[in-house]
Amino acid sequence: MKVLGFPLARITIGFLAGIVLTHFFKMSIPVMLGLLFGGIFFLIIAFLMSRKKTDNAICFGIATYFIAFVTGVITQIVHTDSFQKSHYTHHKTIFDKPHLVRVTIREKLRSSVYNDRYIVLVNQIDNVEKTGKILLNVRKDSLNHSFEIGTHLQIDGSLYQNSPAKNPNQFDYSKYLENKQIYAQIYTDGSDVKVGSIIEKDPWYYTSKLRNKIIRNLEKSNFNKAELNVAIALILGQQQDISPDIIKDYQYAGAVHILSVSGLHIGFILVFVTFILKPFPNTRRGSLIKLIIILLSLFSFGLLAGLAPSVIRSVTMFSFVAIGMYLRRSTNIFHTLLVSMLLILLFHPSFLFDVGFQLSYLALFFILWLQPLLAGIWLPKNKIANYFWEILTVSIAAQIGAFPLSIYYFHQFPGLFFVTNLVVIPFLTVIMGLGVLVMILAAFDFVPIFLSKSLEWSIWFLNKIINAIASLKEFVISDIPFNWQFLLSIYLLIFASVLWFKKPIFNRLALTLISVIVLQIAYFKTHYDVESQRELVVFNSNKNTLIAERNGENITLYANDSLLKVVSKNQTLSSYSMGNFSNLKSKKRLQNLLYFNGNKILIVDSLGVYPKDIRPDILVLTQSPKINLERFLKYAKPKIVVADASNFKNIQKLWKATCLKQKIPFHATGEKGFFRLN
């Protein structure tokens, strides 16, 4: 594979390995700096020796890749906020008591049902200068508090650590926030927040002001709210106010990527600005002026779109493409891709763990690598047919590259993605051109009614198309069980197959057959692991008690009658069965006694009724039963007491104190998450 033959590709792999290692293991800066200087010294010696003897070129290569690896480690350390001594997580009592926290609003997020949410930068905690990012949750009320980007706030409240997923195989929001270097949250009322008189006027402030100005002017032109929110997402990359139903439609139709500004949008901006600048002369000075205008346009659009990872990647990538156009060289596009990745990760190494960043680069790589092969299968002579064939092959190449990772993260696959792209992309070109024009005019307080209405109707029509495709839910494959073994083995199969199709020689055929065997091994290993597992799980369920016994691929569910009737819609159980490659085989009404793996499990509900003189190994308390727990524990002496989330929190505190007094472990699912018995 020629791409991996590039020295820059191997350097990039070493650099990425350093970032990944540091993400999971904490490294020492002094040690890494020592290794870096040692590597540089070794590189100089190897270089001098390689000039005399070609056999020493391998030493030069090893030194280069070692330096790339150490540079990746140091980059991750330097840019990981929690490694800094000034970070708020190093405050001794940060999570133990309330603090006076001074922050600056950096970004407004999508509001939840009860809270308006912001990402804020910490300035001071208890009058001591601190740094870091916090998720601020301001409870909604009749006053409808809304804070401007750059506003300084003073909050007297408690910081809470991010809570991990409370049920197995659920989306881990805590890990998601940590990847964005947010390690704590504050919950407060708007009336308890003091707004400072100073507003920090940085680029985020000015771009936010400009976005708000554009939105206000469009609202004044009576732009329909639903279509306006989609327009803001398409053009400005702001998805905060889009209806969840519309987002779900775009997901089911396989078009959710167009709601976040990415390569598709930035590429259009490049083409659009290049077209406008065509009258400029192609002299040395004229080309330089065009390059500067193009770069300013791309980076201005990136700032306006909020500098999301996908935006930064796309702006950086197409900036290198524009520079290549200025130099009038047929730059190797893979080099351009690698340079843009290295440049981004040098300043933001945490982007490597962003799902959007990973999917964007994989999709773009496969478009560049695989699409020419697919396009060569058929060469239509008709221009219209050729246009749609190009769209289809680009879409298929991107999906082949992204679908294993997409299934790994989201466990669903939109079967009609190719139909969506064939219909939407030509239509999106019109919307993007019209939308950019309308947004620019709105920034100057001028919104021609015929243009704004044309954009509104175009987006309305786009939403209708997406809704029609998404309504064919039988083509949406959901709850696909998938693990990292499948992910790696399928990518190995894809790469081997493409290499073989590009050049069908024996060695590549052998590699393809080996990758098929590897995939089969992954399947049988997963099947064997699942079949050898037996466990009982008490889920963290707020309203109803939910207990599952799993024997290999078969799940037996224990719950009350009301829950058993709607169990097919229970997301907790769906996530559990999907993550364990298993299926619900039987449903049983919850009883007082269960037996599992030699353990006697007593379940006491709100009635507080249970067999007398019983000696359970495990006591499960549900629905806040009124029992004298201290007296029960004295004679029953269970190995552990489990309380699910259906119990009142104040009662759980009393139970916890009682168990501590009796020296019996207490597990509250609302605090520690689900309880598993193997």
Side-chain angles (χ1 to χ4, degrees):
M1 186 176 177
K2 292 182 180 180
V3 179
L4 294 178
F6 300 152
L8 184 61
R10 294 195 288 266
I11 290 171
T12 302
I13 291 172
F15 181 75
L16 297 181
I19 294 176
V20 171
L21 184 70
T22 313
H23 180 74
F24 294 103
F25 304 99
K26 191 171 183 179
M27 301 291 182
S28 169
I29 273 280
V31 172
M32 288 298 112
L33 287 174
L35 290 175
L36 178 62
F37 288 123
I40 293 173
F41 178 75
F42 180 64
L43 178 68
I44 295 171
I45 298 297
F47 174 72
L48 294 175
M49 293 179 66
S50 66
R51 297 180 64 182
K52 298 179 180 180
K53 296 182 179 180
T54 55
D55 294 343
N56 291 318
I58 188 171
C59 296
F60 179 78
I62 292 172
T64 302
Y65 304 141
F66 178 75
I67 290 173
F69 173 79
V70 176
T71 303
V73 172
I74 294 174
T75 300
Q76 177 69 358
I77 293 173
V78 169
H79 289 91
T80 300
D81 292 348
S82 60
F83 288 168
Q84 314 306 318
K85 291 183 179 180
S86 61
H87 196 263
Y88 63 83
T89 52
H90 300 299
H91 195 289
K92 291 182 179 179
T93 60
I94 191 64
F95 299 114
D96 298 335
K97 63 179 184 179
H99 300 277
L100 188 66
V101 185
R102 292 184 173 89
V103 299
T104 303
I105 300 289
R106 166 51 56 87
E107 182 182 352
K108 189 179 189 311
L109 302 178
R110 179 188 295 275
S111 298
S112 65
V113 177
Y114 302 107
N115 300 300
D116 290 321
R117 304 186 306 147
Y118 303 86
I119 293 177
V120 299
L121 302 180
V122 176
N123 299 322
Q124 290 183 345
I125 295 180
D126 297 332
N127 297 318
V128 178
E129 290 190 4
K130 294 291 180 181
T131 60
K133 291 189 287 189
I134 289 175
L135 182 60
L136 173 63
N137 299 272
V138 182
R139 294 181 186 89
K140 294 179 179 178
D141 56 27
S142 58
L143 298 178
N144 192 23
H145 300 276
S146 182
F147 302 117
E148 196 173 19
I149 303 299
T151 304
H152 284 226
L153 305 177
Q154 179 177 293
I155 307 164
D156 190 0
S158 298
L159 277 75
Y160 297 92
Q161 286 181 293
N162 301 323
S163 299
K166 296 294 178 66
N167 284 308
N169 310 117
Q170 282 189 337
F171 173 66
D172 194 340
Y173 190 57
S174 171
K175 187 176 180 181
Y176 170 80
L177 289 177
E178 287 182 9
N179 284 339
K180 293 183 175 295
Q181 306 205 51
I182 300 172
Y183 303 94
Q185 300 187 49
I186 295 179
Y187 293 86
T188 186
D189 293 314
S191 57
D192 295 332
V193 177
K194 294 182 179 179
V195 181
S197 57
I198 299 174
I199 294 181
E200 195 168 310
K201 297 184 178 180
D202 55 14
W204 283 270
Y205 166 80
Y206 288 109
T207 55
S208 174
K209 291 284 286 185
L210 181 58
R211 282 198 303 268
N212 292 335
K213 181 181 180 180
I214 291 171
I215 293 169
R216 282 197 304 270
N217 287 333
L218 290 175
E219 287 175 339
K220 290 178 183 177
S221 68
N222 296 318
F223 206 113
N224 184 275
K225 187 67 175 175
E227 280 71 41
L228 176 60
N229 292 334
V230 174
I232 293 167
L234 288 172
I235 313 300
L236 304 180
Q238 304 298 307
Q239 303 181 39
Q240 295 93 328
D241 299 318
I242 298 183
S243 163
D245 292 333
I246 292 178
I247 290 180
K248 186 177 290 185
D249 283 346
Y250 276 77
Q251 288 174 340
Y252 285 175
V256 71
H257 59 282
I258 71 175
L259 291 179
S260 57
V261 175
S262 59
L264 180 68
H265 304 72
I266 305 299
F268 175 82
I269 297 296
L270 175 61
V271 173
F272 183 71
V273 176
T274 304
F275 175 76
I276 292 175
L277 297 176
K278 265 193 173 183
F280 274 72
N282 285 323
T283 61
R284 187 183 184 89
R285 179 177 294 180
S287 297
L288 180 60
I289 292 173
K290 284 200 288 187
L291 175 64
I292 293 172
I293 293 173
I294 288 171
L295 293 179
L296 287 174
S297 301
L298 293 179
F299 280 96
S300 299
F301 186 80
L303 279 170
L304 197 61
L307 292 177
S310 59
V311 177
I312 294 175
R313 185 270 304 169
S314 302
V315 168
T316 307
M317 171 69 190
F318 282 100
S319 295
F320 278 98
V321 171
I323 292 170
M325 291 164 57
Y326 167 72
L327 296 174
R328 296 177 185 177
R329 296 176 183 173
S330 56
T331 55
N332 189 299
I333 194 66
F334 293 107
H335 270 130
T336 305
L337 193 67
L338 290 171
V339 169
S340 68
M341 177 187 288
L342 276 173
L343 191 62
I344 292 168
L345 295 179
L346 274 171
F347 293 96
H348 294 281
S350 61
F351 280 3
L352 182 60
F353 308 100
D354 183 272
V355 178
F357 183 87
Q358 296 170 11
L359 290 172
S360 295
Y361 264 99
L362 273 172
L364 188 53
F365 172 79
F366 271 84
I367 289 172
L368 298 173
W369 184 52
L370 180 58
Q371 192 271 338
L373 178 65
L374 297 176
I377 295 173
W378 178 44
L379 299 173
K381 296 179 180 179
N382 184 284
K383 288 186 177 181
I384 297 176
N386 185 65
Y387 174 73
F388 283 100
W389 175 242
E390 288 284 332
I391 292 174
L392 182 61
T393 54
V394 166
S395 177
I396 292 174
Q399 284 292 343
I400 288 175
F403 92 88
L405 192 65
S406 180
I407 293 175
Y408 178 73
Y409 282 121
F410 307 115
H411 300 282
Q412 76 174 29
F413 181 74
L416 293 177
F417 72 90
F418 58 94
V419 176
T420 302
N421 284 295
L422 281 174
V423 175
V424 167
I425 290 180
F427 198 54
L428 187 63
T429 304
V430 177
I431 292 177
M432 283 293 296
L434 188 59
V436 169
L437 179 60
V438 170
M439 299 288 175
I440 291 173
L441 294 175
F444 291 97
D445 300 318
F446 177 61
V447 185
I449 191 67
F450 74 95
L451 287 179
S452 66
K453 284 302 175 184
S454 297
L455 178 61
E456 179 185 331
W457 294 335
S458 299
I459 293 176
W460 176 86
F461 189 56
L462 174 66
N463 288 342
K464 288 297 181 182
I465 294 173
I466 294 294
N467 178 260
I469 297 173
S471 64
L472 303 172
K473 294 182 180 179
E474 57 269 23
F475 291 97
V476 179
I477 307 171
S478 302
D479 296 332
I480 304 172
F482 209 74
N483 57 20
W484 66 268
Q485 292 98 325
F486 283 172
L487 177 69
L488 296 181
S489 57
I490 288 178
Y491 270 121
L492 176 62
L493 178 60
I494 291 172
F495 275 97
S497 301
V498 174
L499 288 173
W500 180 54
F501 279 114
K502 279 179 174 285
K503 191 176 181 181
I505 59 177
F506 176 77
N507 290 342
R508 296 187 177 186
L509 175 61
L511 179 61
T512 304
L513 295 176
I514 290 171
S515 64
V516 172
I517 294 172
V518 170
L519 179 59
Q520 291 175 329
I521 292 172
Y523 171 79
F524 286 116
K525 181 184 182 301
T526 300
H527 181 74
Y528 174 79
D529 290 343
V530 170
E531 284 296 325
S532 61
Q533 293 170 354
R534 290 194 70 221
E535 63 181 16
L536 183 137
V537 177
V538 179
F539 294 97
N540 181 60
S541 181
N542 290 325
K543 297 180 180 179
N544 297 288
T545 300
L546 188 64
I547 299 175
E549 179 183 342
R550 183 170 67 87
N551 187 1
E553 296 179 350
N554 301 320
I555 296 176
T556 301
L557 179 68
Y558 299 94
N560 56 36
D561 294 334
S562 60
L563 186 58
L564 291 177
K565 293 177 181 178
V566 294
V567 69
S568 60
K569 299 179 181 179
N570 189 282
Q571 190 58 47
T572 299
L573 185 64
S574 297
S575 299
Y576 174 71
S577 59
M578 176 189 64
N580 290 285
F581 294 81
S582 52
N583 298 291
L584 179 63
K585 289 299 181 182
S586 61
K587 299 181 288 185
K588 296 183 179 180
R589 190 174 181 276
L590 194 63
Q591 303 293 329
N592 287 117
L593 278 176
L594 292 177
Y595 293 89
F596 177 80
N597 203 22
N599 291 288
K600 185 190 297 182
I601 303 165
L602 174 64
I603 302 169
V604 182
D605 58 17
S606 59
L607 298 177
V609 178
Y610 55 88
K612 301 299 180 183
D613 300 326
I614 191 170
R615 298 290 188 272
D617 297 292
I618 299 169
L619 173 63
V620 179
L621 300 171
T622 72
Q623 307 295 329
S624 304
K626 296 180 180 179
I627 65 170
N628 190 323
L629 184 61
E630 184 174 3
R631 184 171 60 191
F632 178 85
L633 295 180
K634 281 182 179 179
Y635 78 82
K637 298 190 181 302
K639 296 177 183 177
I640 188 171
V641 175
V642 179
D644 69 8
S646 65
N647 299 287
F648 296 129
K649 290 184 178 180
N650 57 343
I651 295 178
Q652 291 187 56
K653 290 180 181 179
L654 296 175
W655 290 342
K656 184 177 181 179
T658 302
C659 289
L660 183 64
K661 184 178 178 182
Q662 297 288 334
K663 297 181 179 179
I664 295 175
F666 180 77
H667 184 108
T669 63
E671 179 182 348
K672 299 180 179 180
F674 65 96
F675 173 76
R676 174 183 280 135
L677 178 64
N678 295 316

